[in-house]
Amino acid sequence: MYRVLYRKYRPTVFADVIGQPQVTDTLRNEVRSGRLAHAYLFTGSRGTGKTTCSKILSKAVNCLSPVDGDPCGECEICRGIDDGSIMDVVEIDAASNNGVDDIRMLREEADFTPANAKYRVYIIDEVHMLSIGAFNALLKTLEEPPAHVIFILATTEVHKLPATIMSRCQRFDFHRIPPGDIASRLEYVCAQEGCTIDREAALLIAGIADGAMRDSLSLLDQAMGRSEHITEETVRKTAGLADKSSLIAICDCILDKNPAGAIDLIDELHRSSKDMARLCEELVEHFRAMMLIRTMKQPESVLVMSEDDLKKTREQASKLQLSFIISAIDKLQSSYDRMLHGVNRRIEMEMTIVHLCSGERSSDLSLLIQRVEMLESTLARLMADPLAVRPVTSARPASNATLPQQKPPSSDEMKKLRENAVPMEQWPEVLEEIAKSSKAVSTGFEGSTAYISGKFVLVDSDRDICFELLRKQQNRERMKAAIFKVTGKSYSLGRYSYPDEKKTDDALSQLASELKAAGIPVSGE
Ligand SMILES: Nc1ncnc2c1ncn2[C@@H]1O[C@H](COP(=O)(O)OP(=O)(O)OP(=O)(O)O)[C@@H](O)[C@H]1O
Ligand SMILES: [Mg+2]
Ligand SMILES: [Zn+2]
């Protein structure tokens, strides 16, 4: 019988789990030293190894002759757990067993010592699905865990867990797996299966799967059904992606302000039964790539594409203004949302492309973007050479005179931004990301929190150092790139609250008035 790849290639030892060293190294150490916790919480995005590591850990703690913190896989306990003859490892799928009774039973059972193994291990998968009653019952056991019991809770939605449960667990965050690691694993699987895959194709799969190994293996499975030698083309066809050259061609039409040409291309894709929502998504990806190229020193580190495509995309990016690129992403994304809500996809696609060909920015956003860009470029120049931005004496007052149509976001707008702000749960992840490139910067943000509101991430801290750091262009870019890496979305930065709220309500105006106070005119160029 054919076994799907992602089941067949489920790692059986920590050493084979890729891309999660922060989890696997620690767990192996704990097993080696025998310093085990009573409850573990595995969280993080889909298909990245939570269930896999739960199974490995349940064996490792019970194995008769563990090898360097990994289960041996051969002793009677390892084999017994694998074939289900040893009942001391219990897997509960909370998605189908969310009742109090199950957990109550588990509590009674947990009091007995294990029958064969050293520890009785309860793996509760999708633990966020438990009912309140069940959580309370579980909590009682977690409060006074019998010495021979280990709980492993796994979930993608950690924010749905009660804090009382979380605080009793040792928490491990599983990250999206880096594309290079996924690609290498796919190459390995292909070699085992007697077929071949081009590196570009493997990277493309990794990109489509967005860091999930299960999705990557599923896509590989389908691609292998098409061909024994998997190329980028195979993957594109399998995933129903447009040829990269079509995307580049459509973007060329946007550059040339040639709506007729673009509509022809869309028509062609439509006739070859290309889904318009998918095309829209891919265009978002293409513009996102251009945005990263324009904002990052080494976009290669986050972009998954062949050198040739990268070269062409760079060329296009250099001809577009960053603010246009950002507004295009915004426009395409709203268009995509509308497509999913049932409007005629083809007409929607055409309208959006015609609009983009006109070169206009979507109006409401553009003012804000222009203003942010202006402030950023002024800041950049200030950092580079303080003298360079001394007031250029001119007849005009050094205000918004050069951009007369432009209005700063009023304090009312800023208030609204804050009223709609929600705590940004991924902030710790963002700081972790920052720490990779600069310990100093990440230390500066210690104790800070952040909120998301519309297109803004609003940073909050009572230490001024944060905002001092954010005044540096390089740090802002770093922060935005980190936010992008974690959320997949681009945000502008702002400040959530001020020590003296009366001074001003508006992060940007605050910045502007600081510049003015330093004798720097806040104007376009
Ligand atoms: N880090 C990894 N290294 C190697 N293979 C992995 C990894 N993560 C996932 N896989 C592959 O994907 C399959 C699914 O992984 P797993 O069930 O552990 O994911 P999960 O994190 O529990 O996902 P979900 O949140 O959807 O439950 C595994 O059988 C394995 O083939
Ligand atoms: Mg799972
Ligand atoms: Zn063993």
Side-chain angles (χ1 to χ4, degrees):
M1 208 183 90
Y2 184 72
R3 249 205 316 166
V4 291
L5 288 182
Y6 76 79
R7 282 188 201 282
K8 188 164 169 192
Y9 289 91
R10 188 192 279 284
T12 55
V13 288
F14 289 125
D16 287 346
V17 173
I18 59 164
Q20 311 292 359
Q22 77 288 5
V23 176
T24 47
D25 291 352
T26 315
L27 288 178
R28 277 159 85 180
N29 267 332
E30 291 190 8
V31 173
R32 256 193 310 242
S33 63
R35 271 197 222 110
L36 299 166
H38 280 296
Y40 292 89
L41 173 60
F42 291 173
T43 134
S45 60
R46 311 168 36 234
T48 50
K50 297 182 295 296
T51 302
T52 305
C53 286
S54 310
K55 288 178 193 271
I56 300 174
L57 181 61
S58 70
K59 271 193 275 180
V61 297
N62 281 318
C63 175
L64 299 177
S65 46
V67 188
D68 205 18
D70 264 323
C72 74
E74 278 154 22
C75 67
E76 54 184 289
I77 299 278
C78 281
R79 276 187 291 130
I81 292 174
D82 276 338
D83 65 24
S85 60
I86 288 182
M87 314 280 273
D88 295 320
V89 172
V90 185
E91 292 182 28
I92 297 170
D93 181 7
S96 48
N97 288 287
N98 61 358
V100 195
D101 292 344
D102 295 296
I103 300 292
R104 287 231 179 91
M105 206 146 74
L106 177 157
R107 280 188 62 202
E108 283 160 22
E109 204 183 80
D111 285 339
F112 297 104
T113 48
N116 310 83
K118 214 180 328 170
Y119 293 97
R120 194 185 280 276
V121 184
Y122 291 99
I123 301 176
I124 309 184
D125 221 340
E126 312 297 341
V127 64
H128 64 274
M129 304 282 282
L130 290 181
S131 64
I132 298 286
F135 271 130
N136 284 332
L138 177 61
L139 189 60
K140 292 223 174 80
T141 319
L142 289 181
E143 275 167 347
E144 288 168 37
H148 56 267
V149 169
I150 294 176
F151 284 98
I152 306 175
L153 315 180
T155 178
T156 41
E157 299 177 56
V158 71
H159 53 278
K160 293 193 181 154
L161 291 191
T164 42
I165 298 265
M166 268 183 1
S167 65
R168 291 196 159 71
C169 299
Q170 187 183 4
R171 172 171 167 174
F172 288 91
D173 287 353
F174 286 66
H175 300 164
R176 287 196 171 80
I177 305 170
D181 291 356
I182 291 192
S184 304
R185 178 80 176 167
L186 294 176
E187 284 166 350
Y188 165 81
V189 170
C190 279
Q192 297 294 305
E193 295 290 311
C195 57
T196 50
I197 183 165
D198 291 344
R199 184 76 185 173
E200 255 97 56
L203 284 171
L204 180 59
I205 291 182
I208 296 169
D210 192 24
M213 196 64 214
R214 188 198 296 108
D215 295 5
S216 301
L217 287 169
S218 297
L219 194 51
L220 178 67
D221 229 337
Q222 295 169 38
M224 272 167 41
R226 281 180 181 255
S227 158
E228 287 195 341
H229 174 69
I230 298 163
T231 62
E232 225 182 311
E233 188 56 29
T234 327
V235 177
R236 290 194 163 282
K237 281 209 184 106
T238 312
L241 295 189
D243 202 337
K244 191 90 190 174
S245 60
S246 326
L247 299 180
I248 292 184
I250 292 177
C251 190
D252 270 336
C253 293
I254 293 174
L255 276 167
D256 299 341
K257 300 199 183 342
N258 169 14
I263 288 194
D264 275 346
L265 287 166
I266 292 173
D267 184 49
E268 220 171 274
L269 289 168
H270 190 261
R271 266 186 284 129
S272 64
S273 49
K274 169 85 197 163
D275 176 36
M276 290 293 115
R278 192 84 201 225
L279 176 66
C280 196
E281 257 187 313
E282 286 176 68
L283 282 168
V284 169
E285 272 298 312
H286 186 63
F287 275 89
R288 167 187 178 242
M290 292 198 280
M291 175 179 73
L292 296 186
I293 287 170
R294 290 295 300 269
T295 45
M296 294 176 73
K297 280 222 179 65
Q298 281 177 314
E300 305 84 353
S301 60
V302 281
L303 285 178
V304 183
M305 57 168 81
S306 69
E307 261 174 49
D308 194 39
D309 288 340
L310 184 63
K311 193 170 147 252
K312 286 188 195 135
T313 311
R314 264 185 202 286
E315 248 172 61
Q316 292 192 325
S318 69
K319 293 181 197 152
L320 288 169
Q321 278 192 314
L322 183 57
S323 52
F324 177 80
I325 295 175
I326 293 173
S327 118
I329 294 178
D330 187 58
K331 185 106 188 90
L332 285 162
Q333 254 163 358
S334 341
S335 181
Y336 177 74
D337 286 344
R338 280 193 295 274
M339 288 184 191
L340 297 190
H341 283 93
V343 302
N344 182 306
R345 294 186 175 190
R346 181 177 178 182
I347 299 177
E348 179 67 37
M349 187 78 249
E350 288 171 346
M351 274 169 30
T352 304
I353 292 293
V354 169
H355 183 99
L356 290 178
C357 287
S358 75
E360 275 172 35
R361 303 158 190 216
S362 54
S363 51
D364 44 340
L365 249 186
S366 67
L367 292 182
L368 207 52
I369 293 170
Q370 275 177 18
R371 194 167 156 74
V372 171
E373 274 184 356
M374 175 184 89
L375 284 166
E376 279 185 348
S377 76
T378 314
L379 272 172
R381 282 181 296 148
L382 173 67
M383 298 321 296
D385 175 7
L387 293 178
V389 276
R390 276 283 146 74
V392 191
T393 14
S394 78
R396 280 183 307 222
S399 64
N400 282 336
T402 45
L403 290 162
Q405 81 284 22
Q406 204 170 315
K407 271 210 322 263
S410 63
S411 59
D412 272 341
E413 279 172 301
M414 202 59 207
K415 220 182 254 158
K416 215 187 251 164
L417 265 182
R418 272 202 250 152
E419 272 165 11
N420 295 328
V422 289
M424 181 180 192
E425 271 164 15
Q426 289 156 306
W427 186 241
E429 257 178 272
V430 171
L431 296 186
E432 228 177 276
E433 197 54 49
I434 296 259
K436 285 186 203 153
S437 61
S438 165
K439 271 268 171 304
V441 175
S442 79
T443 313
F445 281 89
E446 255 166 32
S448 67
T449 49
Y451 299 81
I452 291 190
S453 179
K455 298 275 164 184
F456 277 86
V457 166
L458 305 174
V459 180
D460 198 19
S461 169
D462 40 32
R463 297 167 62 216
D464 273 331
I465 174 84
C466 286
F467 306 102
E468 235 135 70
L469 285 166
L470 281 183
R471 264 171 224 146
K472 285 209 179 119
Q473 167 87 352
Q474 194 198 6
N475 292 335
R476 295 177 70 85
E477 299 295 354
R478 205 181 250 150
M479 178 60 76
K480 287 184 182 177
I483 292 174
F484 196 95
K485 200 155 173 205
V486 171
T487 63
K489 287 193 208 140
S490 58
Y491 288 97
S492 302
L493 296 173
R495 183 167 179 170
Y496 184 72
S497 64
Y498 288 90
D500 180 6
E501 282 282 351
K502 271 161 279 153
K503 244 198 301 191
T504 169
D505 251 346
D506 173 355
L508 292 173
S509 304
Q510 161 86 8
L511 208 56
S513 62
E514 276 167 19
L515 288 173
K516 266 194 207 139
I520 298 151
V522 182
S523 62
E525 275 311 303

